């Protein structure tokens, strides 16, 4: 919810949808359920449960506390989102107490990755263009 508030304050033209289904050919049978999907306002209207990734500006994942999280959130989803052409992938990694920003998708991989500790100020690149204060995430991880 905190991330949704930040997005609305800085970019009222965008909307962060929670628990959104995306069609991603190279990820687990072509479907990924993202913790959050940032799109232009009205960007998912009429899409149903599984929308095409082409309108997605950023996918957001928050690591789970389960045995599959490393493979799923840190390896498979970045590759699946990059292959689908999603410009930015934001991983909120509770185990590492860090945020990881992936961008510049090319040939099924993100060319750029930046990892910063909770508490840092993170610049989410184009097309998102939001500065995110990750200080509140310190409480989230406890």
């Amino acid at each position: 919810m905190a991330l949704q508030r930040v997005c609305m304050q800085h970019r009222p033209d965008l909307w962060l949808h929670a628990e959104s289904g995306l069609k991603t050919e190279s990820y687990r049978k072509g479907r990924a359920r993202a913790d959050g999907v940032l799109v232009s306002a009205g960007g998912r209207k009429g899409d149903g449960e599984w929308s095409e990734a082409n309108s997605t500006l950023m996918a957001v994942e928050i690591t789970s506390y389960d045995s599959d999280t490393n493979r799923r959130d840190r390896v498979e989803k970045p590759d699946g989102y990059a292959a689908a052409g999603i410009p930015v992938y934001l991983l909120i990694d509770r185990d590492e107490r860090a945020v990881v920003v992936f961008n510049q998708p090319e040939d099924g991989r993100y060319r750029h990755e930046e990892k910063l500790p909770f508490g840092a100020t993170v610049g989410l690149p184009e097309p998102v263009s939001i500065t995110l204060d990750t200080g509140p995430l310190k409480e989230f991880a406890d």
Side-chain angles (χ1 to χ4, degrees), residues 9-41:
Q9 288 171 344
H10 293 278
R11 294 286 309 271
D13 59 317
L14 303 179
W15 187 254
L16 184 68
H17 293 270
E19 293 293 318
S20 293
L22 290 170
K23 295 178 183 176
T24 55
E25 287 184 36
S26 67
Y27 176 79
R28 296 188 185 187
K29 298 181 183 177
R31 301 287 188 262
R33 183 151 316 272
D35 291 327
V37 172
L38 187 70
V39 297
S40 295

Side-chain angles (χ1 to χ4, degrees), residues 54-122:
N54 60 355
S55 66
T56 302
L57 305 176
M58 178 174 73
V60 180
E61 296 292 344
I62 302 166
T63 56
S64 306
Y65 294 118
D66 61 36
S67 61
D68 193 32
T69 198
N70 185 59
R71 187 180 79 218
R72 183 184 59 245
D73 295 338
R74 297 184 187 107
V75 178
E76 292 177 356
K77 282 193 173 177
D79 290 349
Y81 293 154
I86 297 173
V88 180
Y89 170 45
L90 175 64
L91 175 63
I92 299 171
D93 194 325
R94 296 187 291 180
D95 294 327
E96 299 288 327
R97 299 181 59 77
V99 293
V100 185
V101 179
F102 298 84
N103 68 313
Q104 300 176 12
E106 186 177 293
D107 297 326
R109 312 274 300 180
Y110 285 107
R111 289 186 8 212
H112 185 261
E113 175 182 332
E114 181 178 21
K115 182 177 182 178
L116 296 163
F118 285 177
T121 300
V122 177

